[in-house]
Amino acid sequence: MMAAQKFRARLAGGEIALGSNVRFSRSAEIGAALAACGMDWIMLDYEHSPASPHIAQDIALGALRAGVLPLARPSSHDPREIAGLLTNGALGLIVPHVNTAAEAEAVARAARFAPRGSLSVPGSLPHFGYGLTLTEACARFNDEVLVVAMIESGEALANVDAIAATEGIDGLFIGASDLLWERGCPGDYGGPVLRQAIDAVALAARRHREFSGMGGPREEAVWRGAIAAGIRMVMTENDLTLLMRGARDRAAFFASCAAAAGGAA
Ligand code: 3PY
Ligand code: MG
């Protein structure tokens, strides 16, 4: 099964789909490496990463070939930016700051070819290898592309049901950090604002037969609660914080070896 089908099947079966924000890596092998660690998807972060589109294209195609779903987070809702990401390797969007149903509809249409949208047809599409005709590739792209709306403001929460009901939106995704900063409780990942948002987003997603996800928190207790509430698309961390977590762990282990050797001397 290909990456997008695997991803949908996991979520349809109520399983968790694990992902990582890829922001600092520059190798097309990062998708394969993260797949070996149990990740199902990656997010190429054009909202925050300094990576050039050319590198991100290689990373997206490397991920697809390794069976990991490459989603892109654009820096804007501009259809021209979205077209560049989707026609060069990304097979879906995590769209930041979707605040209204009108915005959701515009990005969902920008992500699909006619008749479902207004994405401009390029000369070739790289996602599925090169054995399909352009017509076949565009039809398959329309079937597989995912559009996930980020809910990360009070306005988005007020409109969450209408956003979920929008044609072409496949899932909702809480941006916990932006949401908490905007609501005046920065960093309060364990507090009531995020808990209520998780419940509201999970409920809206269920009502419209979509999945719900989240990124931002690190605390295990917050994640346990979110998963119990129905969150299934989990953005674990970003590539830098995962690297630092592993590095800290190794440094602590070797410090304990050094302490033991010192103690034994
Ligand atoms: C946020 O927490 O605001 C996010 O965008 C998560 O990626
Ligand atoms: Mg955010």
Side-chain angles (χ1 to χ4, degrees):
M1 232 194 293
M2 305 295 280
Q5 291 148 353
K6 272 196 299 195
F7 178 90
R8 284 182 198 274
R10 285 192 79 80
L11 291 165
E15 289 173 78
I16 290 170
L18 287 181
S20 166
N21 179 346
V22 171
R23 181 173 162 199
F24 297 97
S25 303
R26 298 290 178 270
S27 164
E29 289 294 87
I30 186 68
L34 289 172
C37 301
M39 301 285 169
D40 305 293
W41 56 277
I42 60 172
M43 182 184 84
L44 297 160
D45 191 2
Y46 289 86
E47 190 183 17
H48 295 298
S49 174
S52 77
H54 183 227
I55 286 166
Q57 172 188 350
D58 286 347
I59 293 175
L61 291 175
L64 270 181
R65 308 303 183 233
V68 180
L69 182 62
L71 303 171
R73 174 159 68 178
S75 63
S76 71
H77 296 181
D78 186 338
R80 290 167 300 186
E81 182 184 3
I82 288 173
L85 301 175
L86 290 179
T87 54
N88 289 303
L91 194 46
L93 301 173
I94 299 185
V95 189
H97 306 285
V98 176
N99 288 323
T100 64
E103 289 176 8
E105 188 186 349
V107 293
R109 285 190 57 76
R112 291 179 175 93
F113 298 111
R116 296 185 61 196
S118 53
L119 182 56
S120 176
V121 179
S124 62
L125 272 183
H127 304 71
F128 314 113
Y130 296 93
L132 300 180
T133 66
L134 184 57
T135 313
E136 288 165 345
C138 288
R140 180 157 165 197
F141 179 93
N142 268 7
D143 284 344
E144 294 197 10
V145 69
L146 276 148
V147 180
V148 181
M150 289 194 73
I151 305 296
E152 42 188 355
S153 70
E155 186 185 7
L157 271 179
N159 292 325
V160 70
D161 203 67
I163 292 170
T166 301
E167 168 76 24
I169 294 296
D170 299 289
L172 306 173
F173 192 98
I174 300 170
S177 301
D178 275 321
L179 179 67
L180 291 172
W181 261 255
E182 194 249 13
R183 302 306 313 279
C185 41
D188 188 20
Y189 295 101
V193 168
L194 186 57
R195 264 201 308 280
Q196 285 159 19
I198 288 169
D199 286 341
V201 167
L203 180 68
R206 263 198 300 278
R207 201 181 289 136
H208 296 281
R209 293 198 193 79
E210 290 167 8
F211 56 82
S212 52
M214 181 166 71
R218 302 274 189 272
E219 298 82 353
E220 293 183 356
V222 174
W223 279 113
R224 283 202 185 89
I227 288 162
I231 298 292
R232 288 292 178 270
M233 182 179 178
V234 170
M235 187 154 76
T236 54
E237 294 195 20
N238 69 58
D239 47 359
L240 180 63
T241 59
L242 289 170
L243 175 81
M244 288 174 65
R245 184 185 287 279
R248 265 195 213 102
D249 173 76
R250 289 295 79 187
F253 168 68
F254 285 107
S256 77
C257 292

